[in-house]
Amino acid sequence: MKLFGSICLFLACTGYGLIRARYYRERPRQLQQLRLALQGLETEIEYAQTPLPVAFVRIASRINGPVAGLCAFVGSELAESSRAVDEIFKTAFTKFDQQLYLTKEDREVICLLAATLGISDRKDQLKHLKLASSNLHQLEQRAAEDRTRLEKMWNYLGPLLGALIVVLLY
Amino acid sequence: MIGSDSIDIVFQVAGIGVLVAAISAIFKSVDKDEFANWTTLAGVIIILFIIVNKVGELFAEIRQVFLIH
């Protein structure tokens, strides 16, 4: 019984460590996808002048992962409701909260951009898109740096903490 | 009077020592020195708590042996 409990505790701590490590592994990838999506949006606005709902759906089909789901949701919501773009993004972020490994800062960049989408002329929107893109790029680089250090740390720390607690309680 | 119980404590303390050392080494390798120090300190305190009980027992026994009440 004692052994069974110890094994459960150890596995739980290991799992927790792996989950934390996955956060650091997924965040740079999702930031990159987000940046690709913004680039796609840039082309859609600059060359095709696609309406926003259609543009978002098109982008969603081009990328993959949870970000694609986010874009598809935003596209369909834009087509159906008459709410502001940044509000829709906020609901989208809360809806996909479980799948997105993005920090508050990352979401803030997107929400700031969304507030300017669809309410001004093409040039202004493109400027904002470029700004958000470069912001995301910076965040991505920082996230990649964090990944190399913290992903490994949590991978090891989880099992070790589990073993420590087991030894303490045994 | 060394029973299997007291040997267990030696192993427990040794285990905690090894694991705390490993954890603090990991923290140090990712440039989180303050966490490393905290872990070491926490390990020392935990082990101290375990040992204080036993030291107390030892003193009680010494008192008993020399009949100081």
Side-chain angles (χ1 to χ4, degrees):
Chain A
M1 200 61 210
K2 215 172 167 185
L3 191 71
F4 178 70
S6 311
I7 291 169
C8 279
L9 193 59
F10 180 72
L11 288 182
C13 285
T14 310
Y16 177 72
L18 289 181
I19 286 170
R20 288 297 294 258
R22 193 174 67 176
Y23 167 81
Y24 289 109
R25 193 172 58 242
E26 287 296 325
R27 189 172 159 235
R29 198 180 297 162
Q30 292 194 351
L31 278 175
Q32 194 194 18
Q33 283 172 353
L34 216 51
R35 202 161 52 86
L36 281 178
L38 287 194
Q39 265 169 14
L41 196 61
E42 216 174 300
T43 11
E44 292 288 348
I45 289 177
E46 190 166 12
Y47 300 109
Q49 299 194 7
T50 328
L52 271 183
V54 184
F56 272 113
V57 172
R58 259 191 217 167
I59 291 162
S61 65
R62 230 179 286 157
I63 53 179
N64 45 34
V67 177
L70 185 89
C71 285
F73 175 77
V74 169
S76 63
E77 276 292 296
L78 273 172
E80 281 165 20
S81 73
S82 56
R83 288 189 298 161
V85 187
D86 55 332
E87 267 177 47
I88 290 174
F89 259 105
K90 263 174 203 157
T91 42
F93 276 139
T94 44
K95 194 177 172 225
F96 288 90
D97 198 32
Q98 290 294 313
Q99 299 159 41
L100 289 173
Y101 295 89
L102 299 171
T103 60
K104 222 174 161 188
E105 209 182 350
D106 310 337
R107 286 157 207 237
E108 199 63 37
V109 171
I110 296 298
C111 283
L112 268 178
L113 168 75
T116 64
L117 279 181
I119 56 165
S120 53
D121 64 345
R122 200 163 52 119
K123 251 185 187 167
D124 192 50
Q125 288 187 40
L126 284 176
K127 226 186 272 172
H128 279 107
L129 268 172
K130 283 217 171 77
L131 178 71
S133 231
S134 71
N135 275 346
L136 276 186
H137 192 60
Q138 260 179 11
L139 287 172
E140 196 186 316
Q141 277 176 340
R142 238 184 295 159
E145 261 172 46
D146 279 351
R147 183 194 161 169
T148 49
R149 297 187 307 138
L150 297 176
E151 186 195 358
K152 217 191 240 167
M153 182 187 95
W154 276 106
N155 267 339
Y156 288 119
L157 206 61
L160 275 175
L161 273 180
L164 186 67
I165 294 171
V166 166
V167 168
L168 265 177
L169 297 179
Y170 212 78
Chain B
M1 230 185 68
I2 296 178
S4 67
D5 189 41
S6 27
I7 278 294
D8 275 354
I9 272 195
V10 172
F11 281 128
Q12 196 181 21
V13 168
I16 293 170
V18 168
L19 290 171
V20 163
I23 289 173
S24 90
I26 286 171
F27 274 131
K28 228 168 232 164
S29 74
V30 293
D31 289 336
K32 288 200 181 290
D33 284 18
E34 70 274 15
F35 279 115
N37 292 336
W38 281 116
T39 339
T40 318
L41 191 65
V44 168
I45 289 170
I46 288 167
I47 289 175
L48 219 60
F49 263 108
I50 294 170
I51 284 176
V52 155
N53 277 327
K54 288 285 149 190
V55 172
E57 276 174 32
L58 174 72
F59 275 118
E61 210 140 303
I62 289 173
R63 270 189 201 153
Q64 230 174 18
V65 166
F66 293 102
L67 293 172
I68 310 166
H69 286 293

